[in-house]
Amino acid sequence: MEAAGAVSILAFITVMLVGMIAVFGAQASLVSAAREAARVAALQSGRAAAEQVVRRVAGQAESRVSSDGEWVTVELRKLVRLPALPGVMRLSARATAYEETPW
């Protein structure tokens, strides 16, 4: 009986670790996408190019690109389903880059 309890606890811990790793990976991907999209938008490539970067790096993430004249800000949001667990997590990332003007 004690072995069954230990096995179920180890299985639960394993599932939780897999879920945490998936969430951390998705968050890292979202942060990378926000940074790269901000760089692309800051180089005068436009919002469409920034949106393409977001789709390529982060997949289906909700994005918003804004500019105040000097700084470009990219904000991303994404819902991530947890593997083997019910529910979703709401992740977000934000990156800002100085807008560069061509010489």
Side-chain angles (χ1 to χ4, degrees), residues 43-61:
L43 292 171
Q44 302 292 330
S45 299
R47 292 181 184 198
E51 297 284 339
Q52 284 181 332
V53 168
V54 170
R55 281 193 301 277
R56 181 175 43 91
V57 177
Q60 296 297 326

Side-chain angles (χ1 to χ4, degrees), residues 3-92:
V7 169
S8 64
I9 289 172
L10 287 175
F12 175 75
I13 290 172
T14 301
V15 168
M16 293 303 291
L17 286 174
V18 168
M20 287 174 51
I21 290 168
V23 169
F24 289 139
Q27 180 66 33
S29 173
L30 206 60
V31 168
S32 294
R35 287 178 181 164
E36 186 62 26
R39 282 190 210 107
V40 167
L43 292 171
Q44 302 292 330
S45 299
R47 292 181 184 198
E51 297 284 339
Q52 284 181 332
V53 168
V54 170
R55 281 193 301 277
R56 181 175 43 91
V57 177
Q60 296 297 326
E62 176 187 335
S63 62
R64 191 176 90 181
V65 180
S66 60
S67 174
D68 69 358
E70 287 187 34
W71 295 91
V72 174
T73 301
V74 176
E75 296 176 76
L76 303 178
R77 291 186 181 93
K78 185 175 186 176
L79 294 176
V80 176
R81 294 209 178 278
L82 303 175
L85 296 172
V88 296
M89 286 197 72
R90 196 177 307 247
L91 302 178
S92 64

